[in-house]
Amino acid sequence: MSADFQLLSPEDAGAMAALHARAFDEPWPQGDFAALLRQEAMLAVGCEEDGALVSFALFGLVAPEAEILTLCVEPARRNQGEGLRLIRAAISLLAVRKISRLFLDVAQTNAAARALYAKAGFAETGRRPRYYRNGADAILMARDIS
Ligand SMILES: CC(C)(COP(=O)(O)OP(=O)(O)OC[C@H]1O[C@@H](n2cnc3c(N)ncnc32)[C@H](O)[C@@H]1OP(=O)(O)O)[C@@H](O)C(=O)NCCC(=O)NCCS
């Protein structure tokens, strides 16, 4: 794992919720992040710079599989490769935990995330029509971790 990425804990829930609120229209409460991170089957990886969280991803683990539950990059830090570095750092941590396949779903309308996931080696495995509250289709994607 790259030195600037670290595992996050329930103490990071406030910073995660604040960054998530800057990245998504429907924010998740800090208490939800804290509760999720207290569960054994969760893993969160993030990057801090000058004491501020600039990216993180949260995974649900059911070995040998894992799912990306949410992932975001600070708006001012986008399009500089941070998202790709985050996924790569997380994948090396997941591999250590015997995860061999990683899943996610992404809105068909989310061009940035789709480009990022394609670049990170994910392939489309299916679709769920009108899956999201705004009516967008979900694209299901997966990649193997070796
Ligand atoms: C999706 C997100 C994490 C991408 O983070 P990022 O740090 O900008 O990603 P990267 O800089 O690593 O970009 C990876 C690739 O995606 C491409 N990309 C990034 N933004 C893009 C956009 N708006 N449209 C098309 N491609 C885009 C980049 O060009 C890059 O490919 P390249 O190297 O060939 O140019 C970020 O936009 C974000 O936090 N969005 C809001 C939250 C979100 O939608 N999360 C995903 C939920 S499924």
Side-chain angles (χ1 to χ4, degrees):
M1 187 171 58
S2 159
D4 49 357
F5 287 93
Q6 58 193 355
L7 283 176
L8 302 179
S9 71
E11 288 70 48
D12 299 304
M16 293 169 76
L19 176 49
H20 188 278
R22 291 195 289 278
F24 291 97
D25 292 338
E26 295 181 29
W28 293 5
Q30 175 176 341
D32 288 9
F33 279 108
L36 284 167
L37 286 169
R38 279 189 219 102
Q39 296 178 25
E40 280 280 304
M42 292 288 154
L43 182 136
V45 182
C47 178
E48 255 189 24
E49 277 180 16
D50 300 325
L53 191 65
V54 297
S55 67
F56 75 87
L58 177 68
F59 301 85
L61 314 183
V62 186
E65 297 179 345
E67 181 183 11
I68 300 182
L69 301 180
T70 191
L71 176 153
C72 50
V73 170
E74 179 68 43
R77 297 297 309 277
R78 292 183 190 162
N79 282 308
Q80 298 162 43
E82 176 69 15
L84 195 56
R85 282 193 294 276
L86 170 66
I87 291 181
R88 288 181 174 155
I91 281 174
S92 36
L93 266 179
L94 291 167
V96 170
R97 301 201 175 205
K98 308 281 185 246
I99 300 299
S100 58
R101 194 154 171 83
L102 183 54
F103 296 88
L104 61 87
D105 59 72
V106 58
Q108 189 247 326
T109 47
N110 192 341
R114 289 180 63 187
L116 168 63
Y117 295 139
K119 187 133 190 168
F122 287 85
E124 182 173 335
T125 57
R127 287 191 183 225
R128 291 198 180 115
R130 297 174 299 286
Y131 179 76
Y132 298 105
R133 222 191 291 240
N134 66 3
D137 290 357
I139 298 181
L140 311 180
M141 304 186 84
R143 63 156 280 175
D144 289 334
I145 294 175
S146 51

